[in-house]
Amino acid sequence: MSDSAGASPDGAGPLGPGAGASATGDGRRRRRRRRLRYAGIAVAVLGGTAVGIGWAVYAKLSGNITADEAAAAELARYEKERPTSLVRGAQNLLVIGSDSRSGDGNERYGRDTGTERSDTTILLHLAAGRDSATAVSLPRDLMVRVPGCHRRDGSRTQPVFTQFNYAFEAGGSACTIRTVEGLTGIRIDHHVVVDFQGFKKMVDALDGVEVCLRRPVDDKDARLKLPAGRVTLDGEQALGYVRARKSLGDGSDTDRMDRQQRFLGALVSKVQSNDVLLNPVKLYPVLDAATSSLTTDPGLASLRGVYDLARGLRGVPAERVQFLTVPREAYARDADRDQLVQPDAEKLFTRLRTDEPVAVERGARGNGSGAAGPREAEDADSPQPTFSGNTADEDICE
């Protein structure tokens, strides 16, 4: 047999013209398809893993939050007597700082007597356009009418005129909400209860919050020892700072609330300046801390609810995040208690109910209540009152 046996006349090979090249091309296509198939499987696996991790993170963070179902049921019983929302899109959130000594780590701040009162209560109003946020402190010693409320043991308290923080002891968050709604005429859409540990974890997750001290502090009761000047507080120090009475200021609840407001302003500024809400790496530990030791109404008791609330705050300029205390003065029958100053307090409540702008100014002066009425001179054409307070963009050392 000759060497040319089986060859085509044009020398293309035994399988006909171009058969060798075609076979090579088919092989390459098969290998490419295999690579694409493997790549697709890898992407699917990685994507599925990412989804799995994402779901696990979501479930963990949502699981941190305790839904206040008892409060929701109690409020539902009194729905007919509750105020209605007047402006669509505006939201009012009641933030309650609990002084409970129960729970992990809280026993170090005192003996657990089985009762708790609201250590700090703030009414946070978010404008419908999310272009402003106004936080109003309600003094715990403010004299108010507390309605009859159900206790945890099933018994019922009688309506009483007493100091505000009794409401939380009498009937928890639902009783506090009903008391605030009766006092202000403002519908509370959501509420959050934070204990000592939750507050500390939040501050630590932000790597501390900076404050400014006029003089050194050495307060054993508050577990606080700090130098003068600008100081970055960790969670434990921050808790002592906002709760201290003896070593900071004049020892009054008024001074303590002012200090709490300045601290919250610094905290908001820290969150915004570090772009925490836009950075997943920074956001996760903050959300983990914020959701732990947290009790909320069922509508907020998920990561989605908390994130939607945070997203609403994200776009508010720091100068439009405002803090003030409800206009009040010493109670006529007891100088250690407070009472509302009218008509200043009602002016504030009306503006919040109707989602009208609230103006605050550091050191604004009125009748000694912490609120200034319409100005007779430079603001004669505007009926808008100016309240004493501060904003999140103010320098803490000024």
Side-chain angles (χ1 to χ4, degrees):
M1 182 177 292
S2 68
D3 293 339
S4 61
S8 64
D10 61 3
L15 300 180
S22 176
T24 302
D26 287 344
R28 288 173 178 169
R29 284 192 290 272
R30 283 195 297 271
R31 287 194 295 273
R32 185 163 57 249
R33 284 196 295 268
R34 282 197 297 270
R35 286 196 296 270
L36 289 173
R37 184 166 63 250
Y38 295 152
I41 293 173
V43 169
V45 169
L46 291 174
T49 301
V51 170
I53 292 174
W55 176 252
V57 169
Y58 179 92
K60 179 186 184 303
L61 294 176
S62 291
N64 286 347
I65 307 171
T66 300
D68 199 347
E69 300 288 356
E74 178 75 353
L75 291 172
R77 294 190 185 100
Y78 297 96
E79 180 59 38
K80 291 183 178 180
E81 72 178 37
R82 299 183 64 194
T84 57
S85 298
L86 300 181
V87 180
R88 184 175 183 178
Q91 283 197 331
N92 297 294
L93 174 76
L94 197 66
V95 181
I96 304 170
S98 168
D99 71 354
S100 173
R101 270 62 171 179
S102 64
D104 293 342
N106 288 329
E107 68 281 350
R108 65 183 299 184
Y109 303 106
R111 184 171 59 89
D112 180 12
T113 62
T115 63
E116 56 183 334
R117 294 197 179 192
S118 51
D119 192 59
T120 299
T121 303
I122 295 174
L123 173 59
L124 176 63
H125 174 78
L126 301 178
R130 297 300 186 266
D131 56 354
S132 70
T134 303
V136 181
S137 294
L138 299 172
R140 64 182 195 170
D141 292 333
L142 184 68
M143 297 300 291
V144 298
R145 297 192 180 278
V146 177
C149 298
H150 286 94
R151 293 184 181 275
R152 295 176 182 175
D153 62 6
S155 63
R156 183 178 173 82
T157 64
Q158 294 298 312
V160 62
F161 184 71
T162 186
Q163 62 193 74
F164 173 65
N165 67 343
Y166 169 75
F168 195 67
E169 178 184 3
S173 51
C175 192
T176 300
I177 290 169
R178 292 177 59 214
T179 300
V180 171
E181 290 182 338
L183 180 72
T184 66
I186 297 171
R187 172 82 176 207
I188 303 301
D189 302 297
H190 298 291
H191 71 274
V192 174
V193 182
V194 186
D195 68 12
F196 295 150
Q197 291 301 311
F199 176 82
K200 287 165 49 180
K201 289 178 181 178
M202 178 71 174
V203 174
D204 284 335
L206 290 169
D207 295 324
V209 173
E210 186 181 70
V211 299
C212 189
L213 302 173
R214 295 183 181 277
R215 56 180 180 272
V217 176
D218 189 357
D219 187 333
K220 293 182 179 179
D221 291 339
R223 303 171 185 270
L224 207 58
K225 188 170 184 177
L226 301 167
R230 293 180 182 269
V231 182
T232 298
L233 305 181
D234 63 22
E236 187 70 42
Q237 292 169 328
L239 181 63
Y241 176 78
V242 299
R243 298 186 69 238
R245 288 180 176 274
K246 299 177 181 179
S247 58
L248 290 168
D250 58 12
S252 68
D253 201 43
T254 297
D255 186 84
R256 192 173 75 125
M257 285 186 295
D258 289 344
R259 194 183 330 125
Q260 290 171 350
Q261 291 166 7
R262 290 193 299 272
F263 180 85
L264 289 174
L267 186 147
V268 170
S269 181
K270 177 75 176 281
V271 170
Q272 291 187 338
S273 65
N274 283 11
D275 289 331
V276 171
L277 297 177
L278 299 176
N279 187 331
V281 175
K282 294 180 180 179
L283 181 61
Y284 175 77
V286 174
L287 284 177
D288 189 31
T291 54
S292 63
S293 305
L294 201 67
T295 300
T296 77
D297 61 279
L300 275 185
S302 69
L303 181 60
R304 173 67 179 272
V306 172
Y307 182 74
D308 284 347
L309 178 65
R311 185 176 58 183
L313 286 167
R314 185 178 65 193
V316 180
E319 66 272 15
R320 298 289 292 151
V321 179
Q322 306 169 130
F323 302 90
L324 67 150
T325 300
V326 65
R328 85 281 184 221
E329 63 187 358
Y331 179 48
R333 297 184 180 180
D334 185 347
D336 291 330
R337 301 289 180 262
D338 291 322
Q339 64 185 24
L340 292 180
V341 169
Q342 298 295 4
D344 296 335
E346 185 52 36
K347 287 179 181 178
L348 173 62
F349 299 152
T350 298
R351 299 192 78 82
L352 295 177
R353 278 196 301 269
T354 57
D355 199 32
E356 292 294 321
V358 174
V360 302
E361 178 182 321
R362 181 179 292 185
R365 289 290 180 265
N367 53 14
S369 66
R375 300 195 175 173
E376 300 295 334
E378 67 268 28
D379 294 340
D381 295 332
S382 173
Q384 181 175 344
T386 300
F387 299 89
S388 178
N390 65 283
T391 60
D393 71 325
E394 292 182 6
D395 191 310
I396 56 174
C397 278
E398 286 185 353

